[in-house]
Amino acid sequence: MGDINWPEITEKLPFEKGAEEKEKRKELWKSVDVNDNGYASLAEITKGVRDVLQIPEVFDCVPAINRAFHHARKISKKESEHGDDYIEFCEFRIFLYMLRQFFEYYQAFDRLDTEDDGRINKEEFTASAVKDSLEKWVGPIDDLEAEFDKIDVNGGGQILFSEFVDWALEKNLDIEDDDD
């Protein structure tokens, strides 16, 4: 993945509370909500990440964008008249926050996915070189094989990104080289 400029990414994702950050979000939203109808689809949001935010590293992590979009809808307290296929401005801050978080999770996932096939098998997860990194990110893990089985919720023998995100959220995963 190369070197990631974490401060630049965080700066371009104005998710903090406060008047200044809210104004930045409003300006971003105007550019993302191209139809000016008050809501944006996943396709509009993805296009906005590419064209408006201009963060190529994040745009290249489509699973993180997708998961952040759906997670923002899922945890929103507002009932949407447009359903779960759109987010509104009131959910945009949550989306930006989750995008930053899930991009970090994607970096961790990608480091473990040494076969570069979009999933982590048991051999990748239990490799001796991985244990130290995992424990830096989430704390002590007594049994890597048991942890793998816990993460592999669907029992498919592979950890998918969605399963990894659920685990990372539960463990409060934090990779060592980001800026938080």
Side-chain angles (χ1 to χ4, degrees):
M1 285 262 148
D3 292 328
I4 294 171
N5 186 338
W6 289 103
E8 178 186 10
I9 288 171
T10 301
E11 175 67 26
K12 288 184 173 185
L13 300 172
F15 56 79
E16 299 289 343
K17 293 183 178 180
E20 185 179 330
E21 292 275 296
K22 187 172 186 176
E23 283 306 311
K24 288 180 185 177
R25 277 193 304 280
K26 283 182 180 178
E27 289 304 310
L28 281 175
W29 181 256
K30 286 179 189 175
S31 298
V32 170
D33 180 17
V34 293
N35 297 322
D36 195 28
N37 57 10
Y39 52 92
S41 68
L42 177 57
E44 290 170 310
I45 291 290
T46 303
K47 186 177 184 312
V49 170
R50 183 190 69 205
D51 299 345
V52 178
L53 293 174
Q54 296 181 354
I55 311 172
E57 301 92 343
V58 175
F59 178 72
D60 290 341
C61 297
V62 173
I65 298 169
N66 190 349
R67 186 67 194 259
F69 178 90
H70 291 289
H71 195 76
R73 269 301 312 136
K74 180 181 173 185
I75 65 174
S76 176
K77 293 179 170 88
K78 184 177 186 285
E79 193 69 34
S80 175
E81 65 184 71
H82 308 292
D84 290 340
D85 295 331
Y86 301 92
I87 62 171
E88 299 175 42
F89 178 73
C90 63
E91 299 154 332
F92 193 50
R93 185 184 75 78
I94 297 168
F95 166 76
L96 293 171
Y97 176 79
M98 298 317 301
L99 180 58
R100 167 62 179 78
Q101 193 67 41
F102 293 167
F103 176 68
E104 180 177 347
Y105 294 168
Y106 191 86
Q107 298 314 301
F109 182 85
D110 190 62
R111 292 175 193 180
L112 299 176
D113 177 21
T114 57
E115 293 181 7
D116 292 325
D117 61 357
R119 52 195 180 187
I120 302 166
N121 63 42
K122 191 171 273 193
E123 291 74 33
E124 290 170 308
F125 192 81
T126 59
S128 58
V130 168
K131 186 170 174 64
D132 287 342
S133 292
L134 283 170
E135 290 187 337
K136 281 182 193 173
W137 300 340
V138 301
I141 300 173
D142 294 328
D143 183 344
L144 286 177
E145 288 197 26
E147 197 71 18
F148 178 90
D149 292 339
K150 178 182 169 190
I151 300 167
D152 180 22
V153 174
N154 73 2
Q158 308 279 338
I159 298 173
L160 306 176
F161 181 65
S162 60
E163 294 170 321
F164 186 80
V165 166
D166 292 341
W167 175 78
L169 284 168
E170 177 186 314
K171 294 286 192 176
N172 198 24
L173 184 145
D174 185 23
I175 60 175
E176 69 279 359
D177 57 338
D178 71 333
D179 65 345
D180 63 354

